[in-house]
Amino acid sequence: MEVSLLRAGWPAPAGVQALTTLRGPAGFSAPPFDSFNLGEGCGDSPGTVAENRLALSRQAELPSAPRWLRQVHGTNVVRLHRRDAASTAEADAAVTSERDVVLAVLTADCLPVVLAARDG
């Protein structure tokens, strides 16, 4: 299955990558969520969202499962580590200083911001 991905074409440090997903054509969600819905809080089937998230991990060849946030419009930032359980933190931003920790944010009417140290 094709996954709808756009990889960032920026001069990021070695080991730092960013990508954006698109609504389709890939994915398992039925209308009105079609087709590549990754958000759990919008009324789509939780099982279908889980399938879409697994497809993202596989097709993007991610080094680990993404760490999803229960996003709020606030100022809370969580620091995530490899050793942390894959639970969903309530925050509007996440940071890590460890390799192979995949951070994920969902966007609708807000733009994502990705910052990286020069040494990756």
Side-chain angles (χ1 to χ4, degrees), residues 1 25-30 34-37 44 48-53 55:
M1 171 197 286
F28 301 98
S29 297
D34 49 336
S35 67
F36 198 47
N37 176 42
D44 198 356
T48 302
V49 172
E51 273 187 281
N52 288 336
R53 288 180 174 191

Side-chain angles (χ1 to χ4, degrees), residues 8-81:
W10 59 322
V16 176
Q17 298 182 44
L19 61 87
T20 298
T21 60
L22 305 173
R23 290 182 59 107
F28 301 98
S29 297
F33 309 105
D34 49 336
S35 67
F36 198 47
N37 176 42
L38 300 168
E40 291 180 325
C42 63
D44 198 356
S45 159
T48 302
V49 172
E51 273 187 281
N52 288 336
R53 288 180 174 191
L54 183 59
L56 169 65
S57 291
R58 288 182 178 156
Q59 295 299 317
E61 299 177 345
L62 301 177
S64 64
R67 303 298 178 88
W68 300 93
L69 300 175
R70 231 178 9 265
Q71 289 173 238
V72 295
H73 287 286
T75 59
N76 192 32
V77 178
V78 293
R79 179 176 294 277
L80 298 173
H81 305 276

Side-chain angles (χ1 to χ4, degrees), residues 81-104:
H81 305 276
R82 274 189 302 255
R83 69 180 181 273
D84 295 336
S87 63
T88 304
E90 185 171 294
D92 214 31
V95 299
T96 189
S97 58
E98 298 180 27
R99 294 181 61 82
D100 299 335
V101 176
V102 178
L103 305 178

